[in-house]
């Protein structure tokens, strides 16, 4: 087998692992939001337990990429492909950690009746962010710079909705001061989702770097 073929096979394996990691990250975010809506303690515990699966995928990506660098000594764009895979896996792992943070909020709210404020908005925030995760991985797979730049516009939409929700939650503190603990926890949930969108935008930046050799600021 030629060195080029070995390298291409290694890259293909990295891509497959990143797709799997992206799908699992998207799923865990969806599951965490559903657990919050339904106050599903069992699901929240399972999300926390399964976090190690995504960590293991990141470790596999690091191991394969490091071996490719050591044995194939790639340069220019070939090297960027591996470095970008490292960065993407790191962002995905952090996204999954933030979804776990949402699951931990569910555990902290055990036994409380979830206030109606922001349920639909949290769901909307989650839907936009899940699509950003999916699009960011597709941008990487197809080296689609236009899709990568779309991350910035989607992130602006998330930021706008996040700010709107925080204002709404603050207004509820005045109306329902006895619910302040839950209101603050819901504010944290919104922040966790907003941060996940930021990490998806980071992936977009890395896709542009992969293709063009420079990294734009998509999340100023």
């Amino acid at each position: 087998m030629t060195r080029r073929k070995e390298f291409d096979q290694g890259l293909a394996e990295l891509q497959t692992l990143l797709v799997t990691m992206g799908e699992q990250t998207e799923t865990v975010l969806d599951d965490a939001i559903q657990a919050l809506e339904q106050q599903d303690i069992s699901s929240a515990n399972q999300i926390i337990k399964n976090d190690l699966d995504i960590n293991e995928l990141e470790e596999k990506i690091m191991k394969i990429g490091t071996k490719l660098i050591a044995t194939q000594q790639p340069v220019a764009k070939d090297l960027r492909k591996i470095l970008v895979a490292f960065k993407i896996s790191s962002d995905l792992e952090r996204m999954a950690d933030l979804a776990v943070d949402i699951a931990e909020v569910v555990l902290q709210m055990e036994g409380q009746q979830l206030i109606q404020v922001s349920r639909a908005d949290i769901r909307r925030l989650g839907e936009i962010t899940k699509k950003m995760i999916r699009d960011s991985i597709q941008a990487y797979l197809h080296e689609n710079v236009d899709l990568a730049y779309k991350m910035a516009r989607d992130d602006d939409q998330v930021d706008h909705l996040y700010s709107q929700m925080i204002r709404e939650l603050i207004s509820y503190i005045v109306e329902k001061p006895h619910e302040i603990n839950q209101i603050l926890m819901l504010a944290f949930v919104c922040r966790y989702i907003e941060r996940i969108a930021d990490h998806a935008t980071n992936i977009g930046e890395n896709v542009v770097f992969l293709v063009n050799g420079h990294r734009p600021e998509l999340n100023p």
Side-chain angles (χ1 to χ4, degrees), residues 21 25 58 84-98 195-196 198-206 215:
M21 199 174 181
T25 302
E58 183 187 23
V84 165
F86 288 164
K87 293 288 292 181
I88 292 175
S89 66
S90 177
D91 277 310
L92 290 172
E93 190 275 335
R94 186 65 190 120
M95 291 183 203
D97 283 347
L98 288 161
R195 287 293 298 134
I196 291 172
D198 286 344
H199 283 287
T201 307
N202 289 346
I203 294 176
E205 292 178 356
N206 280 297
R215 193 187 314 276

Side-chain angles (χ1 to χ4, degrees), residues 18-218:
L18 283 170
V19 169
T20 300
M21 199 174 181
E23 290 172 346
Q24 290 189 12
T25 302
E26 187 180 342
T27 296
V28 75
L29 174 59
D30 190 45
D31 289 347
I33 292 173
Q34 286 191 38
L36 177 70
E37 290 179 340
Q38 300 167 11
Q39 289 294 278
D40 188 337
I41 301 301
S42 175
S43 178
N45 279 316
Q46 192 63 45
I47 289 166
I48 294 168
K49 180 181 177 182
N50 291 345
D51 185 48
L52 289 176
D53 294 343
I54 291 178
N55 293 345
E56 288 175 0
L57 286 172
E58 183 187 23
E59 289 176 5
K60 288 180 181 178
I61 288 167
M62 293 296 294
K63 183 176 180 179
I64 293 169
T66 300
K67 182 179 179 180
L68 284 176
I69 291 173
T71 61
Q72 305 297 316
Q73 299 179 340
V75 296
K77 189 174 180 180
D78 283 342
L79 178 59
R80 293 203 302 272
K81 287 179 180 179
I82 300 172
L83 298 179
V84 165
F86 288 164
K87 293 288 292 181
I88 292 175
S89 66
S90 177
D91 277 310
L92 290 172
E93 190 275 335
R94 186 65 190 120
M95 291 183 203
D97 283 347
L98 288 161
V100 168
D101 288 339
I102 296 172
E104 289 175 346
V105 166
V106 176
L107 299 184
Q108 293 175 42
M109 292 172 61
E110 183 176 6
Q112 299 182 35
Q113 182 176 355
L114 191 65
I115 59 176
Q116 292 300 314
V117 62
S118 298
R119 280 195 184 192
D121 286 338
I122 288 175
R123 192 178 307 117
R124 174 62 178 155
L125 197 65
E127 289 300 323
I128 298 171
T129 303
K130 283 189 298 178
K131 189 173 188 306
M132 288 181 70
I133 297 171
R134 192 179 317 127
D135 286 348
S136 68
I137 297 301
Q138 288 302 308
Y140 166 71
L141 288 177
H142 301 289
E143 298 187 11
N144 187 329
V145 171
D146 291 336
L147 188 56
Y149 274 108
K150 181 177 178 290
M151 296 293 103
R153 297 192 297 274
D154 291 341
D155 189 54
D156 287 344
Q157 187 179 2
V158 168
D159 289 344
H160 176 75
L161 183 55
Y162 167 70
S163 297
Q164 174 185 311
M165 292 170 69
I166 292 300
R167 288 193 297 270
E168 183 181 3
L169 287 167
I170 290 172
S171 71
Y172 260 75
I173 293 177
V174 177
E175 296 175 24
K176 299 184 177 182
H178 59 287
E179 297 284 7
I180 187 170
N181 184 57
Q182 183 179 150
I183 291 168
L184 289 174
M185 285 192 286
L186 289 175
F188 279 126
V189 167
C190 296
R191 176 58 175 164
Y192 297 149
I193 299 173
E194 189 269 341
R195 287 293 298 134
I196 291 172
D198 286 344
H199 283 287
T201 307
N202 289 346
I203 294 176
E205 292 178 356
N206 280 297
V207 170
V208 177
F209 170 70
L210 168 62
V211 176
N212 296 332
H214 69 86
R215 193 187 314 276
E217 182 62 58
L218 300 185

